[in-house]
Amino acid sequence: MEKHGHGFLIFLFVIQLSLGLLSFACCMIAEFKKVKRGDVKLDNKFCYLPESRAFGYGIAALICLIAAQIIGNLGICCKKNSFTSEFATPFLVLSWMSFGVAVILLSTATSMGRRQEYGKGWLKQECYVVKDGVYFGSAFLVLLSVASAIASAFSNIRKTQATRVHAHAQSQAQEVA
């Protein structure tokens, strides 16, 4: 791959890292903006929760995380023979696993941040509040997913460069002989 190919990959990873950090920041803000237990209003057996600002931050975190994962994998898969590195595959698997768990946590917590009317709660007409630390955990998983995808891509670049240098040295040795 020529130098301009590495420039394109670096550009993709800067975008991925930026989106990942934005998703991380939205998760952190959502943790502080989520509905608290004191916000629950009870009317006999029915409850009410106002919509929290964590809902919007959770949506933004999800969008940024999904975009970061797509861009990161585009950077990994745009190379020929990108799955040849034995060091890249575990990073890629870790990236997808942490991405999946982060999406589940974020989407569930975010959906619980919507307004829950009396008698029309989040699940089975009951009000639920997001536990402390759920958005923090999601933020950690966002960073793990982005870092793993970047590590996978860069281990592929190093493997490709090492293979190319080795092949070049072999061809020179054959020419000499």
Side-chain angles (χ1 to χ4, degrees):
M1 181 176 282
E2 289 102 30
K3 287 186 178 186
H4 69 347
H6 288 309
F8 177 69
L9 287 177
I10 291 170
F11 174 72
L12 285 179
F13 296 127
V14 166
I15 292 173
Q16 180 193 20
L17 184 62
S18 300
L19 287 168
L21 290 175
L22 185 58
S23 179
F24 173 81
C26 287
C27 288
M28 298 300 280
I29 294 169
E31 180 70 33
F32 296 110
K33 300 289 183 182
K34 67 182 173 46
V35 174
K36 314 286 188 282
R37 287 186 192 257
D39 297 333
V40 177
K41 295 180 179 139
L42 296 173
D43 180 25
N44 293 328
K45 64 179 181 174
F46 297 114
C47 61
Y48 168 81
L49 283 175
E51 185 166 316
S52 71
R53 295 187 65 196
F55 179 74
Y57 287 111
I59 294 292
L62 275 168
I63 291 169
C64 290
L65 174 60
I66 291 168
Q69 189 73 6
I70 290 170
I71 289 170
N73 282 276
L74 177 67
I76 293 168
C77 296
C78 74
K79 293 176 51 219
K80 292 181 181 177
N81 301 324
S82 63
F83 292 103
T84 58
S85 172
E86 65 274 8
F87 298 110
T89 304
F91 285 122
L92 191 60
V93 169
L94 179 61
S95 174
W96 277 103
M97 288 176 57
S98 55
F99 169 78
V101 174
V103 166
I104 291 169
L105 280 175
L106 272 173
S107 57
T108 303
T110 299
S111 70
M112 291 170 67
R114 297 196 74 179
R115 180 177 24 204
Q116 300 176 38
E117 299 288 337
Y118 288 108
K120 296 181 181 178
W122 187 74
L123 184 66
K124 297 181 182 179
Q125 290 74 39
E126 295 180 15
C127 291
Y128 290 88
V129 178
V130 177
K131 288 189 172 208
D132 292 338
V134 170
Y135 285 108
F136 286 149
S138 298
F140 170 75
L141 289 169
V142 164
L143 290 180
L144 183 61
S145 175
V146 170
S148 298
I150 290 173
S152 177
F154 281 114
S155 66
N156 269 341
I157 290 171
R158 291 180 58 87
K159 166 90 168 141
T160 303
Q161 288 174 341
T163 303
R164 198 174 304 133
V165 168
H166 181 68
H168 182 68
Q170 280 183 339
S171 68
Q172 284 183 343
Q174 288 175 352
E175 288 176 10
V176 172

